[in-house]
């Protein structure tokens, strides 16, 4: 009897281990180097393909694509979040495209040159140009070299989140993406100028179906006193942006606040919930009427 019980326990443990192997993620990105037409330096782009992409049974399958800035750092947490969300059925399998913004980050991710006495066009305010690089060169390359469909998501954190919001306002690129994810975006930039532009763009969001997810970190108990005023300006600008998008007639705005999370610790939850919101009505965008 003990021998039989031991065999059953062994088989159970082996079965459990085998099932847990499905929850093992391996990150093996493909690196591409671009020499952009509109930028003075080269940029690296990493592509992470979903499991089974090269399987014969998927030879004709086309995938949605998630694009994220700060790709040299965020490709890992984003790819793992996408992988886990897909295996539990929260999002479809998707391709990740992680774009290098390490060099000249402020220049490429910010929309304006602040009148602060030290900023210049060489260091800030060129996000429209970087959006053109992504739209005209990176997206075109990805669509040509990988099996993609037309459902694209643009995601970013901090200055990358600001970049995401300004991309939604950029008539040259806004229709390239179905969904936008802005995580603790730096909406305070240049005296919250972009928040005002979001307000002035009500007609856009009232007429087009996008999914726009905005999330803020709220950890005021741990903010040093000397930075508290800046912190308030930061979260107030995000809150205003989130509520403006929530009021849109057709765009589906989602605004989340993560209590007791700081600017970096909110990433894990924010990415996961942002991905779920981005793909909530896949393969189409929701539109407010679809979620009423």
């Amino acid at each position: 009897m003990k021998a039989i019980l031991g065999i059953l326990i062994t088989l159970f443990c082996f079965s459990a281990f085998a099932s847990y192997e499905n929850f093992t993620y391996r990150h093996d990105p493909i690196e591409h180097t671009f020499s952009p037409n509109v930028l003075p330096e080269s940029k690296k782009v990493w592509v992470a393909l979903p499991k089974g992409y090269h399987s014969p049974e998927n030879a004709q399958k086309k995938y949605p694509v998630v694009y994220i800035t700060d790709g040299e750092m965020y490709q890992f947490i984003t790819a793992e979040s996408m992988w886990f969300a897909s295996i539990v059925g929260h999002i479809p399998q998707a391709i990740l495209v992680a774009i290098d913004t390490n060099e000249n980050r402020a220049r490429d991710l910010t929309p304006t040159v602040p009148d602060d006495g030290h900023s210049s066009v060489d260091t800030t305010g060129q996000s429209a140009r970087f959006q053109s690089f992504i739209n005209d060169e990176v997206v075109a390359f990805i669509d040509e070299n990988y099996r993609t469909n037309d459902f694209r998501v643009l995601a970013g954190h901090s200055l990358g989140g600001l970049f995401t919001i300004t991309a939604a306002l950029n008539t040259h690129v806004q229709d390239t993406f179905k969904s936008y994810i802005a995580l603790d975006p730096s909406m305070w930039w240049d005296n919250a100028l972009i928040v005002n532009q979001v307000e002035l763009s009500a007609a856009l969001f009232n007429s087009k179906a996008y999914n726009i997810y905005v999330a803020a970190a709220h950890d005021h108990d741990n903010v040093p006193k000397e930075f508290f005023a800046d912190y308030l300006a930061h979260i107030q600008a995000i809150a205003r942006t989130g509520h403006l998008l929530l009021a849109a007639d057709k765009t589906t705005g989602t605004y989340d606040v993560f209590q007791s999370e700081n600017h970096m610790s909110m990433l894990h939850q924010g990415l996961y919930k942002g991905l779920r919101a981005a793909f909530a009505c896949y393969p189409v965008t929701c539109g407010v009427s679809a979620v009423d």
Side-chain angles (χ1 to χ4, degrees):
M1 183 66 181
K2 288 183 178 179
I4 295 174
L5 183 60
I7 291 171
L8 290 174
I9 292 173
T10 300
L11 289 173
F12 174 79
C13 291
F14 178 80
S15 175
F17 175 75
S19 65
Y20 273 114
E21 281 192 319
N22 295 328
F23 288 81
T24 301
Y25 176 73
R26 295 174 178 85
H27 189 68
D28 188 24
I30 304 163
E31 183 179 296
H32 299 282
T33 300
F34 285 76
S35 297
N37 294 323
V38 294
L39 298 175
E41 71 280 331
S42 63
K43 293 290 182 183
K44 290 183 179 179
V45 172
W46 295 272
V47 177
L49 299 174
K51 185 177 181 180
Y53 178 89
H54 293 298
S55 299
E57 63 269 24
N58 294 326
Q60 302 303 315
K61 184 176 180 179
K62 295 187 176 182
Y63 297 83
V65 186
V66 175
Y67 291 80
I68 191 165
T69 54
D70 293 316
E72 66 284 352
M73 179 168 63
Y74 294 158
Q75 59 174 297
F76 304 97
I77 187 174
T78 308
E80 188 162 0
S81 293
M82 290 169 60
W83 161 77
F84 188 80
S86 69
I87 65 172
V88 298
H90 286 164
I91 70 170
Q93 284 192 316
I95 297 169
L96 172 65
V97 177
I99 303 166
D100 177 19
T101 49
N102 188 47
E103 185 179 1
N104 298 307
R105 183 172 184 266
R107 183 199 71 186
D108 292 338
L109 297 182
T110 60
T112 57
V113 180
D115 185 17
D116 56 12
H118 58 82
S119 297
S120 72
V121 294
D122 294 325
T123 59
T124 54
Q126 302 302 311
S127 63
R129 183 176 68 175
F130 199 69
Q131 287 159 12
S132 293
F133 160 60
I134 294 174
N135 188 75
D136 301 340
E137 300 186 49
V138 179
V139 171
F141 175 86
I142 296 300
D143 286 349
E144 182 178 349
N145 290 277
Y146 296 94
R147 298 195 311 276
T148 64
N149 61 31
D150 67 350
F151 197 100
R152 305 181 191 91
V153 179
L154 180 63
H157 170 253
S158 193
L159 288 180
L162 174 68
F163 179 85
T164 296
I165 297 296
T166 58
L169 300 173
N170 185 340
T171 56
H172 179 58
V173 303
Q174 60 191 205
D175 291 335
T176 297
F177 301 95
K178 306 285 190 184
S179 296
Y180 297 85
I181 301 172
L183 303 176
D184 216 32
S186 301
M187 302 305 296
W188 53 265
W189 181 264
D190 203 359
N191 295 313
L193 179 67
I194 300 305
V195 185
N196 296 330
Q197 290 188 18
V198 172
E199 186 169 19
L200 292 172
S201 298
L204 165 68
F205 300 123
N206 288 339
S207 63
K208 292 190 176 182
Y210 299 118
N211 300 320
I212 304 183
Y213 177 87
V214 178
H218 194 274
D219 189 28
H220 64 270
D221 290 337
N222 294 307
V223 178
K225 290 182 179 180
E226 62 269 28
F227 298 120
F228 199 77
D230 293 335
Y231 165 77
L232 283 180
H234 173 64
I235 62 170
Q236 288 169 356
I238 298 174
R240 188 175 159 211
T241 301
H243 288 299
L244 286 168
L245 293 170
L246 284 174
D249 287 346
K250 196 169 183 183
T251 290
T252 302
T254 304
Y255 175 49
D256 266 342
V257 178
F258 293 102
Q259 302 288 346
S260 301
E261 300 292 347
N262 61 39
H263 187 59
M264 295 304 296
S265 69
M266 62 85 63
L267 263 172
H268 198 277
Q269 294 183 70
L271 268 172
Y272 196 89
K273 293 191 72 174
L275 288 165
R276 292 188 67 177
F279 287 102
C281 295
Y282 179 81
V284 298
T285 51
C286 294
V288 171
S289 60
V291 294
D292 284 345

